Amino acid sequence: MNPRKLTKAGLAAAAALALSLTAAGCGDGGNGGAGADPEKITVGIKFDQPGIGLKTPDGTYTGFDVDVATYVARELGHDPGDIEWKEAKSADRETMLQRGDVDFIAASYSINDERAEKVDFAGPYLLAHQDVLIRADDTSITKPSDLNNKKLCSVTGSTSAQNVKTRLAPQAQLQEYGGYSECLTGLENGVVDALTTDDSILAGYAAQDEFKGKFKLAGFKLSNENYGIGVQKGSELKARINTALEKMVADGSWDAAVKKNFGPADYKNEPAPKIGVIVK
């Protein structure tokens, strides 16, 4: 046989082997988002919710979800510097997980049956409630029905204000703004009387330096919102994240994160929920 042909055949076989090995190395192990660098972990958070998940002007990230995600990542073997943060808008969360854009999502992500058909959830790690935020000196709103004939603000497309109007205060005057910051400005200036969404989100906004002492939570607990950490369906990360969350509660880090991020708003948080227990 021609030695030159042997050489060509050998080179072709070597090239094929190299390509197959390269392809195998590009997988993410089914955990999603890990990419080619095993040291990195990609986490989805909110970028626009003070106290929950906020990207600051200097490029750092703050909030309760950020602290939880950082703790979990460390328990998974990643230093804070290994984390790549990605914005997880509400409408994009399931798709991001299904595509493998992120390893997990901690973004005020309420567990419900519809979402659980598409992704898995670790947790819950926080039990929030729909509530209303009012001015600190307002004594006219002490129960949900007091919202009748009041100007109630929420963001465009949110179901929170509509829930109040449908179930509790049919004469409430809904005011829909483009963002919660606009609602807060309206509340501060007396243009609206109350703002409604999850109490954790309201507490995060009210805890900002420019708003400290100006607002208070009414404490109505209009719904139960079980925040979970989303992962790909069938991911082995779910069990590992649950273990990390249990440790975070046990060593006091969970309480410290609540106080740090919500304390200035005098947020009456629920105790840390039990893993796997969903409050309806």
Side-chain angles (χ1 to χ4, degrees):
M1 188 176 289
N2 189 327
R4 188 177 179 185
K5 289 184 178 180
L6 277 173
T7 303
K8 284 184 176 181
L11 287 172
L17 177 60
L19 283 172
S20 66
L21 290 172
T22 301
C26 289
D28 59 17
N31 294 333
D37 187 348
E39 299 301 320
K40 294 292 184 181
I41 189 167
T42 307
V43 180
I45 58 169
K46 290 295 180 70
F47 277 15
D48 59 353
Q49 290 182 348
I52 298 287
L54 181 69
K55 183 178 181 179
T56 65
D58 64 3
T60 58
Y61 301 88
T62 65
F64 181 71
D65 283 351
V66 175
D67 290 343
V68 170
T70 300
Y71 187 101
V72 167
R74 185 179 290 111
E75 291 301 304
L76 295 176
H78 300 276
D79 292 330
D82 297 335
I83 302 173
E84 178 187 353
W85 301 104
K86 283 193 175 183
E87 184 174 18
K89 295 181 179 179
S90 295
D92 299 335
R93 291 175 297 201
E94 287 83 32
T95 302
M96 291 177 71
L97 288 168
Q98 290 171 331
R99 271 195 319 233
D101 295 342
V102 291
D103 289 284
F104 65 82
I105 288 178
S108 55
Y109 202 179
S110 297
I111 301 170
N112 63 37
D113 293 340
E114 181 181 355
R115 291 168 179 166
E117 290 179 0
K118 302 173 184 176
V119 301
D120 282 344
F121 285 99
Y125 64 92
L126 183 72
L127 176 59
H129 307 282
Q130 184 185 340
D131 200 354
V132 297
L133 192 71
I134 58 180
R135 287 181 290 277
D137 60 356
D138 189 341
T139 58
S140 68
I141 301 174
T142 60
K143 57 186 182 297
S145 61
D146 291 335
L147 293 167
N148 280 309
N149 301 312
K150 298 286 189 179
K151 294 178 181 177
L152 178 65
C153 191
S154 194
V155 298
T156 303
S158 169
T159 60
S160 297
Q162 192 62 51
N163 287 342
V164 172
K165 186 172 176 66
T166 301
R167 296 169 44 229
L168 303 166
Q171 275 75 53
Q173 301 171 31
L174 299 188
Q175 309 285 317
E176 289 189 320
Y177 287 8
Y180 291 117
S181 295
E182 297 172 51
C183 284
L184 279 169
T185 300
L187 184 59
E188 182 180 20
N189 296 335
V191 177
V192 298
D193 301 303
L195 161 61
T196 186
T197 188
D198 294 359
D199 54 7
S200 57
I201 297 173
L202 295 173
Y205 276 104
Q208 295 178 96
D209 288 340
E210 63 266 38
F211 295 131
K212 284 180 182 176
K214 294 183 178 181
F215 306 121
K216 63 183 177 183
L217 288 160
F220 291 160
K221 297 185 178 180
L222 303 175
S223 70
N224 296 318
E225 306 296 335
N226 300 268
Y227 287 5
I229 293 181
V231 297
Q232 276 187 349
K233 220 32 170 163
S235 174
E236 54 87 24
L237 282 181
K238 176 180 175 178
R240 297 174 64 193
I241 291 173
N242 280 334
T243 299
L245 292 173
E246 289 173 339
K247 182 177 178 181
M248 186 177 187
V249 173
D251 68 15
S253 298
W254 187 91
D255 284 321
V258 169
K259 184 176 181 180
K260 168 189 168 186
N261 292 291
F262 303 129
D266 197 26
Y267 177 47
K268 304 297 191 299
N269 64 282
E270 298 280 3
K274 299 295 184 182
I275 297 300
V277 177
I278 307 300
V279 180
K280 299 292 188 180

